[in-house]
Amino acid sequence: GHDELLFSAGQLRFDLKLDSAQLRDSMRFRLTDRLTLTGGADVQIGVVDVFVRMPLPPKEGQPRTRVDITKTLTSEVNGEVMWSPALFVEAEVTPVADLLLLPGLRLDYFDLTNQMVLQPRMTARWQTTEQVTAKAGVGLFVQEPTNDETDKSFGNPDLGVERALHYSTGVEVRPRSWLTLDATAFYKDLDELVSRTDELTMVDGAVRPLIYDNGGKGRVYGLEIQARHERAHGLSGWLAYTLSRAERRDTGSSENRLFDFDQTHILTVVANYLLPRNWQLGGRFRLVSGNPTTPVVGAVFDASADRYSPTYGPVNSSREGLFHQLDVRVRSVADLLAPQ
């Protein structure tokens, strides 16, 4: 596809033109009754033209305050080719009855950081009884920094990828043919996170701010519970509840803080009931904890700008209120029930 984004306001300007393509293909081989292999490739490629004259954007943990447009940076790229190829392979192994092992490998090349990273992963499912299945998994996942974070004007071109080691364990119970209960505990160990820093570096014989480094660390942990009700007696739906906490420690800090998008409670309930004469009543309810915020605890008057500059408390030490939403709909489902 082709994308264009053109923005200007006074001396601020952001012009982006991107031609991009993405390909994914996979092959599956059943070698024996106990072994199946799946392999494939992911390739993303793009040609970009961009001109930016903007202030340094706020990042994770920084309040979205008024931007000082007098402190702008400029970056320009013309016809740069960016690509990110990846190869992956996964095996389905049944060493004994009722035990399924899913070992996998993914090899990614990240153009922005000029890194090739191998990511091993393993999932196991053991059907202990006809109604109960135990499951567990562990795997390495990586993510490259954003384009502005690796830009030579707006960031640090020497940044590396961010890493996360995922662990999970849980159980699925199917007490009825139409009802499935699922509980999963998870933990993510985050390392080499991109973080703001006040350190300086030497570039072409001149001292300049480093802006970002890979000194951040973090963790995410919690419990997810799901209940799925397949259509039976006219009723279908599902319920999902997640209790979680997402923390990080920035470069130069000795204390953890909440991520900007930490959400303690996430509840979703969806239900549909089939009424007479092929009508259906459906509804969805969502209840989500508000995102963390950094409170304003005071202000200092800036006479030259004729405005007050806020003074902030600890990062993300406050939180917005709960978000809730209820959607209800009634519709005819005659077409969905008609024989094909």
Side-chain angles (χ1 to χ4, degrees):
H2 177 77
D3 295 279
E4 289 191 26
L5 176 61
L6 307 176
F7 167 83
S8 63
Q11 63 175 331
L12 305 182
R13 182 179 163 191
F14 186 92
D15 297 347
L16 171 68
K17 296 181 180 180
L18 174 65
D19 293 294
S20 60
Q22 181 176 359
L23 170 69
R24 178 182 173 90
D25 198 12
S26 62
M27 297 176 289
R28 183 179 175 87
F29 302 95
R30 186 174 178 83
L31 302 180
T32 70
D33 291 341
R34 295 182 179 273
L35 177 61
T36 300
L37 288 179
T38 301
D42 277 325
V43 180
Q44 296 184 12
I45 187 169
V47 180
V48 62
D49 294 297
V50 61
F51 179 86
V52 182
R53 186 188 297 118
M54 288 280 181
L56 198 65
K59 287 294 182 177
E60 166 69 41
Q62 295 183 312
R64 270 56 177 169
T65 57
R66 262 187 262 183
V67 176
D68 187 351
I69 62 174
T70 63
K71 298 179 180 179
T72 60
L73 300 171
T74 301
S75 180
E76 184 173 10
V77 174
N78 294 307
E80 181 173 336
V81 178
M82 301 185 301
W83 73 307
S84 297
L87 300 174
F88 60 89
V89 61
E90 182 181 75
E92 299 177 19
V93 186
T94 310
V96 296
D98 302 326
L99 177 61
L100 176 63
L101 302 179
L102 300 167
L105 284 172
R106 182 180 175 93
L107 179 64
D108 279 274
Y109 173 75
F110 298 99
D111 194 27
L112 285 178
T113 61
N114 193 27
Q115 284 179 282
M116 189 170 291
V117 184
L118 184 65
Q119 303 156 72
R121 299 162 188 177
M122 168 66 82
T123 301
R125 295 178 60 86
W126 180 29
Q127 189 170 349
T128 58
T129 69
E130 188 175 342
Q131 290 82 27
V132 179
T133 300
K135 58 183 180 178
V138 61
L140 175 65
F141 296 81
V142 299
Q143 174 178 293
E144 64 182 345
T146 59
N147 293 70
D148 64 293
E149 290 170 344
T150 57
D151 183 82
K152 61 182 180 181
S153 298
F154 283 83
N156 178 5
D158 297 324
L159 287 176
V161 298
E162 301 177 313
R163 300 172 183 265
L165 194 56
H166 291 209
Y167 305 89
S168 67
T169 184
V171 61
E172 295 178 8
V173 181
R174 197 174 179 88
R176 297 288 187 271
S177 60
W178 40 266
L179 179 62
T180 303
L181 306 177
D182 187 340
T184 303
F186 57 88
Y187 184 90
K188 302 178 184 180
D189 186 15
L190 312 178
D191 195 19
E192 300 185 25
L193 301 179
V194 174
S195 178
R196 287 294 296 268
T197 177
D198 295 327
E199 295 294 323
L200 302 176
T201 186
M202 185 74 70
V203 178
D204 297 329
V207 177
R208 55 150 286 181
L210 190 60
I211 304 180
Y212 303 111
D213 65 11
N214 284 105
K217 297 181 180 294
R219 61 179 181 176
V220 181
Y221 56 93
L223 175 68
E224 182 178 68
I225 300 173
Q226 292 184 353
R228 295 188 297 275
H229 190 294
E230 306 295 337
R231 185 173 298 280
H233 312 295
L235 177 66
S236 65
W238 54 273
L239 177 149
Y241 170 70
T242 302
L243 175 67
S244 67
R245 187 174 180 87
E247 301 174 332
R248 67 174 286 158
R249 186 168 67 250
D250 298 312
T251 297
S253 175
S254 59
E255 297 182 357
N256 290 342
R257 65 167 177 83
L258 294 178
F259 271 90
D260 286 348
F261 296 103
D262 171 79
Q263 293 175 323
T264 307
H265 306 283
I266 305 175
L267 173 66
T268 304
V269 182
V270 176
N272 293 286
Y273 186 75
L274 191 61
L275 301 171
R277 300 182 182 275
N278 294 335
W279 285 85
Q280 179 176 274
L281 173 65
R284 179 184 67 173
F285 176 72
R286 293 193 296 156
L287 180 68
V288 182
S289 296
N291 290 336
T293 61
T294 301
V296 176
V297 297
V300 177
F301 182 69
D302 185 348
S304 59
D306 192 26
R307 68 174 186 181
Y308 285 91
S309 298
T311 301
Y312 293 97
V315 175
N316 289 344
S317 58
S318 184
R319 189 180 290 273
E320 300 285 354
L322 282 170
F323 165 82
H324 58 88
Q325 177 180 346
L326 175 64
D327 299 316
V328 178
R329 71 176 180 178
V330 179
R331 65 169 181 164
S332 171
V333 293
D335 293 340
L336 299 178
L337 299 177
Q340 300 298 317

